[in-house]
Amino acid sequence: MQLTDTLQNFQTPCYLYDTALLARTLDAIRHEVQQHDNYHVHYAVKANSNPRILSQIAAAGLGADCVSGGEIRAALAAGFPASKIAFAGVGKADWEIRLALQSAIGMFNVESFEELEVISQLATAMNLRARVSFRINPDVAAHTHAHITTGRAEDKFGIAKEDMVRVIRMAQTMPCVDFTGLHFHIGSQLLVMDDFEELCRCVNQLQLELDSEGIFAPNINVGGGLGVDYETPAANPIPDFQAYFSTFTRGLQLREGQQLHFELGRAVVAQMGSLLTRVLYVKQGRQKQFVIVDAGMTDLIRPALYDARHHIDNLSATAAEPAVTYDVVGPICESSDVFARDILLPPTRRGDLLAIRSAGAYGETMASQYNCRSLPSVHFIE
Ligand SMILES: *Cc1c(COP(=O)(O)O)cnc(C)c1O
């Protein structure tokens, strides 16, 4: 990315979205998926719900994976067909279930017996049908940060494997509920395909159990979680979708006519986004040099929340001067408001423009107004 006059004039902090890279990423996904007529990709709206980004993803033909009523509204407004919307989440409120029923979404990913009963009651009262898949907790410990692993037995998500048949049988007795399949999601930022292979083995095992019960699951949804390269984003702007999809092609034993669904969030949008921020001060501490920037954890909370590391470029640096070690920190009154510790940057000065890379996923959507700050603005490059 060159430091153009346009970039120079942006008020910071702001997000910059590269829609051409998003288009190439969507092409790469399409290239893999179109080789299988039973593969369907739903974009996880929570990763980035900017209306323009959502519209571009909807136009590329993906479905949407929503985790709230607000996301269902955003997905519909962006042009995702209701039939391609899946609604997940451990705590669906009654109004959200009603909205999903009224909108005739493709399916609910149901996470408990208790939720199934409420959906059944509401659907019956509204005289509408609810298509439900069950999120099964596969008890797989994915290799990622503890805050973003979701498929272990002790996590709050999903229904225990042992209860799978019982919950399906219960759904089959409900007059307004249609059982549509099984759903899984083991975690996020997964780069080791072993985790997905383990998920495949678990799904195959559960399918054998369904066979023995004479139950057919029309849809298998393996969730999302494919990670991106945060360390060298310029070298790997597009995730290895070939390795990802082929892991499931090889690992899953699908039944005749079964549809396979994926819910990718981060892998679709992370690399197309940068957070632009200006250097306010370069402060000489007692032991360290701090680059204090005008963006903070309110704009991008991942480093504070998950110890995440984002690559940072100084766009204003010119000649190849020897690099200096800095901590890059924000202005928020929290010690965790640190973007990077002990990183090498070209000599950095007040007024320099920095780009915090791979910020397209879980960046803008998690922004807050803590400290009475304004939300970051957004710009697009084509
Ligand atoms: C968050 C989430 C996803 C997307 O996860 P990524 O790691 O961004 O791909 C998919 N499915 C469900 C149910 C989720 O909660």
Side-chain angles (χ1 to χ4, degrees):
M1 192 189 300
Q2 296 290 314
L3 183 58
T4 57
D5 286 347
T6 320
L7 289 193
Q8 195 65 269
N9 289 328
F10 286 155
Q11 251 205 12
T12 51
C14 69
Y15 277 97
L16 188 63
Y17 294 147
D18 179 347
T19 56
L21 177 56
L22 177 57
R24 285 196 285 133
T25 308
L26 291 166
D27 279 347
I29 293 172
R30 184 171 21 215
H31 177 78
E32 297 305 323
V33 169
Q34 71 190 6
Q35 304 167 26
H36 309 268
D37 56 11
N38 61 334
Y39 282 24
H40 311 269
V41 178
H42 302 256
Y43 166 64
V45 171
K46 72 178 190 286
N48 188 319
S49 52
N50 183 283
R52 217 169 124 177
I53 297 301
L54 285 186
S55 299
Q56 189 176 341
I57 296 171
L62 273 64
D65 167 48
C66 298
V67 293
S68 73
E71 285 191 358
I72 293 174
R73 286 193 183 122
L76 290 171
F80 288 95
S83 62
K84 288 191 186 178
I85 294 179
F87 182 20
V90 285
K92 300 179 186 75
D94 292 16
W95 75 266
E96 294 175 307
I97 295 170
R98 285 199 197 92
L99 171 71
L101 288 167
Q102 256 150 15
S103 313
I105 62 156
M107 67 184 77
F108 289 86
N109 289 328
V110 171
E111 305 223 9
S112 64
F113 285 87
E114 294 80 358
E115 180 192 334
L116 175 63
E117 283 193 356
V118 172
I119 290 176
S120 168
Q121 283 162 13
L122 294 175
T124 307
M126 294 167 79
N127 197 22
L128 292 169
R129 300 203 70 79
R131 295 165 43 82
V132 305
S133 284
F134 293 107
R135 178 169 181 174
I136 306 298
N137 185 322
D139 198 11
V140 168
H143 297 90
T144 186
H145 189 276
H147 291 181
I148 48 177
T149 156
T150 55
R152 299 167 305 173
E154 67 264 38
D155 290 323
K156 70 178 175 181
F157 300 100
I159 295 167
K161 284 189 280 195
E162 301 71 42
D163 291 332
M164 173 183 71
V165 170
R166 200 158 59 88
V167 78
I168 294 171
R169 292 284 180 224
M170 186 191 240
Q172 287 171 335
T173 67
M174 293 172 160
C176 293
V177 169
D178 296 315
F179 167 65
T180 56
L182 301 181
H183 173 236
F184 305 85
H185 176 65
I186 56 173
S188 202
Q189 183 54 17
L190 306 178
L191 290 167
V192 207
M193 292 303 124
D194 302 13
D195 290 327
F196 295 118
E197 282 166 17
E198 196 180 336
L199 173 61
C200 289
R201 283 192 290 274
C202 169
V203 174
N204 291 340
Q205 200 61 42
L206 291 173
Q207 290 245 73
L208 292 176
E209 199 180 331
L210 292 186
D211 289 348
S212 68
E213 294 283 334
I215 298 170
F216 174 66
N219 298 283
I220 299 292
N221 183 333
V222 291
L226 177 63
V228 302
D229 183 351
Y230 282 102
E231 269 150 49
T232 49
N236 291 305
I238 299 178
D240 191 349
F241 292 114
Q242 202 276 331
Y244 173 73
F245 287 107
S246 67
T247 299
F248 292 96
T249 308
R250 274 196 316 271
L252 280 180
Q253 281 144 15
L254 293 182
R255 303 296 181 263
E256 181 76 31
Q258 226 165 23
Q259 304 298 303
L260 182 58
H261 300 258
F262 303 87
E263 299 172 335
L264 294 175
R266 185 191 313 274
V268 184
V269 290
Q271 301 294 39
M272 65 94 198
S274 296
L275 176 61
L276 297 187
T277 181
R278 249 185 206 90
V279 176
L280 297 173
Y281 304 101
V282 179
K283 168 175 166 173
Q284 182 60 61
R286 273 166 71 192
Q287 294 171 357
K288 291 186 153 194
Q289 281 210 80
F290 296 98
V291 169
I292 302 173
V293 296
D294 63 2
M297 61 192 284
T298 51
D299 307 296
L300 178 65
I301 202 175
R302 298 190 65 258
L305 196 58
Y306 313 124
D307 286 323
R309 291 292 161 254
H310 289 254
H311 183 81
I312 301 177
D313 289 319
N314 183 337
L315 302 180
S316 307
T318 44
E321 296 171 81
V324 180
T325 303
Y326 297 107
D327 278 14
V328 178
V329 303
I332 312 296
C333 301
E334 298 286 338
S335 317
S336 56
D337 186 28
V338 174
F339 287 113
R341 291 180 208 278
D342 299 320
I343 60 157
L344 286 170
L345 284 176
T348 295
R349 300 169 183 94
R350 173 174 165 83
D352 283 0
L353 194 62
L354 306 191
I356 303 178
R357 302 300 189 189
S358 315
Y362 307 107
E364 187 195 349
T365 46
M366 285 191 172
S368 79
Q369 294 192 296
Y370 181 46
N371 286 193
C372 288
R373 284 164 62 85
S374 303
L375 292 173
S377 54
V378 179
H379 300 279
F380 299 86
I381 44 168
E382 262 127 62

